[in-house]
Amino acid sequence: QKNADMGCNTKSAAVFLVALACGTGATLFSKVMFDLESEDSLGNTRKFAKPFMVTFLMFVAMLVALPLHFIIHRLTQPGEPLPKVSTKMLFVLILPAITDLLGTTCAMVGLLYVKVSVYQLVRASTILFVAVYRVTLLKQRFYGYNWVGVILNFLAIVIVGGSALVDPTAGSDVPKGIAVLLLGCAIMASQLVLEEKVMAGDSTPPLIVVGMEGLWGTLIMLFIMFPIAKRMPGNDNGCYEDFGDALVMINNSPELTLFTVLYVLSITGYNVCAIFITFLLESVWRSILENFRPVAIWATDLVLFYVITKGTFGEQWTVWSWLELGGMCLLIYGTAVYNGSVRLSFLSYPDDDLDDEDANAVSATPTMERVMSSPLIQRSPFINAKGAGITGTPKQQGKGLPTTNKKGGTGSKGKGYGSTSSWMSNPFSSSKKKKRQGYQEVSQTP
């Protein structure tokens, strides 16, 4: 009854829909911004091709999580002292901020050259890089079903990339766009591995983690990346990207200003909703969101093209879109196989001989939602009270098991989830008695 109340009610539906809308909107708004024209500082009218600026806005949106944390803490725990945060962890967060910055910048550059659906699906290749890093760098054990999932995801990316290469409507420079996207995915995968090695086991509230990463990212962009971009040769008033010119173009266009605000709000909303999704919703809701977001983005882009803008903006359906659709279906299926959500009869699973309680002492695996969602570092209710890591595969000596039970699902039944019940009502506090060790790898950067 407890799981049913948590998994299916009006609050759950509202959080799910808002998260889906914010995640979809963030991706589409960034693409709209790139396609809008405005007058620059030299009086020329041109498109807002500013990937560094969009990355900067992402970090600004993440920075908003800091005041939100304090506001929510005061509202939910009036009179209670603020949770203590390790000074060391605040500085450690510089590392994921750097990888997030580089990975997201590559993603934004790639989005300049390809359509939204290709961008969203190619970014799922992060799972492939995570698998390689975990086996080669972390020396973690992968099971047969993990490898089958990796192979299926690889084939899906090949299909999606192949369809984009032959589709004349897929973008202005598809090979360059896909290459930069893959580079960004490799960098983002290193961030996930970094989080596992350096940050697992810390009890810093999730909004503080997101906000501090946003703070470091904002500072690095302002004092390092923008000065470098200003001195690099390029097509933006003689340099690669001019920060001052970006501000002028935003100010000169009401439409660009509107979508800039919407972009920041959508990322902020998605960050907050992602926290609630992790702590308040049953696993089936998370699985639906993780797999449905690419579908929602593509569908919305098609509606924009055929219904709302009448061909002015959005994505056109071509004969090659059927091939891309097949790649997306294979990608979703491969991710489910990798996570153990879909079980193949000819493969063995580590929890086959365990009871439900032992089978639920689990650790989270990298899902499509996490690997396509740059600004999120989420605490996972799937981490057991003994501090199992997020290996995605069982740790040695039986310390952790994949996120599946005997029925092939990711249900929240048994001792493995018992440690979450006492703190699930307030995910914004930090207490040693309320252990929330590890980070759930959940898509998108926006």
Side-chain angles (χ1 to χ4, degrees), residues 118-430:
V118 173
Y119 159 84
Q120 192 72 14
L121 295 174
V122 170
R123 292 199 66 204
S125 63
T126 304
I127 285 181
L128 307 180
F129 293 104
V130 168
V132 172
Y133 293 164
R134 281 177 164 170
V135 172
T136 58
L137 300 179
L138 300 182
K139 307 300 182 183
Q140 294 174 353
R141 180 182 178 185
F142 263 37
Y143 285 78
Y145 70 94
N146 296 126
W147 287 117
V148 171
V150 168
I151 293 172
L152 291 175
N153 274 272
F154 174 76
L155 293 176
I157 298 301
V158 171
I159 292 173
V160 171
S163 68
L165 289 173
V166 296
D167 185 355
T169 68
S172 59
D173 194 338
V174 174
K176 180 187 292 186
I178 292 179
V180 177
L181 284 173
L182 290 175
L183 175 60
C185 290
I187 296 173
M188 290 305 301
S190 69
Q191 177 183 349
L192 302 184
V193 174
L194 179 66
E195 289 170 4
E196 288 193 33
K197 290 290 290 184
V198 178
M199 301 165 67
D202 179 70
S203 60
T204 307
L207 282 179
I208 292 292
V209 174
V210 173
M212 285 305 302
E213 186 180 337
L215 174 62
W216 291 123
T218 300
L219 294 176
I220 293 172
M221 289 297 300
L222 285 174
F223 295 104
I224 298 178
M225 298 305 294
F226 280 124
I228 292 176
K230 180 70 174 179
R231 288 166 175 77
M232 291 174 58
N235 298 321
D236 190 7
N237 293 340
C239 63
Y240 186 80
E241 186 165 329
D242 186 340
F243 176 66
D245 184 71
L247 295 177
V248 171
M249 292 184 71
I250 292 174
N251 183 66
N252 287 341
S253 171
E255 294 82 6
L256 186 54
T257 302
L258 172 63
F259 280 101
T260 299
V261 173
L262 290 175
Y263 177 69
V264 172
L265 291 178
S266 63
I267 295 178
T268 301
Y270 190 81
N271 282 332
V272 175
C273 287
I275 303 298
F276 281 104
I277 286 173
T278 300
F279 287 91
L280 299 181
L281 301 191
E282 218 277 336
S283 59
V284 66
W285 288 84
R286 288 186 292 272
S287 298
I288 292 173
L289 178 63
E290 291 157 8
N291 291 309
F292 193 69
R293 186 181 172 201
V295 179
I297 291 174
W298 195 359
T300 303
D301 216 24
L302 290 171
V303 171
L304 285 173
F305 185 86
Y306 287 102
V307 179
I308 299 178
T309 66
K310 304 297 182 181
T312 303
F313 179 82
E315 186 167 327
Q316 181 181 0
W317 185 271
T318 69
V319 64
W320 301 109
S321 298
W322 292 105
L323 185 59
E324 185 181 349
L325 178 62
M328 183 181 70
C329 293
L330 183 60
L331 183 66
I332 293 174
Y333 180 74
T335 302
V337 171
Y338 178 89
N339 290 332
S341 299
V342 171
R343 294 197 164 202
L344 304 178
S345 59
F346 59 89
L347 294 174
S348 61
Y349 292 81
D351 60 342
D352 285 341
D353 298 326
L354 299 176
D355 57 29
D356 285 341
E357 291 185 354
D358 290 335
N360 278 304
V362 297
S363 58
T365 56
T367 60
M368 188 183 297
E369 182 66 15
R370 175 63 180 104
V371 302
M372 299 200 299
S373 193
S374 170
L376 301 183
I377 303 178
Q378 298 175 254
R379 303 297 177 180
S380 175
F382 294 104
I383 306 302
N384 62 29
K386 295 181 180 180
I390 53 166
T391 62
T393 58
K395 284 188 175 180
Q396 300 299 323
Q397 302 176 354
K399 292 182 180 179
L401 292 170
T403 55
T404 56
N405 53 35
K406 290 183 179 180
K407 297 179 181 179
T410 54
S412 53
K413 177 181 178 182
K415 289 183 180 179
Y417 293 84
S419 62
T420 67
S421 60
S422 62
W423 49 261
M424 190 171 289
S425 60
N426 186 9
F428 304 99
S429 63
S430 174

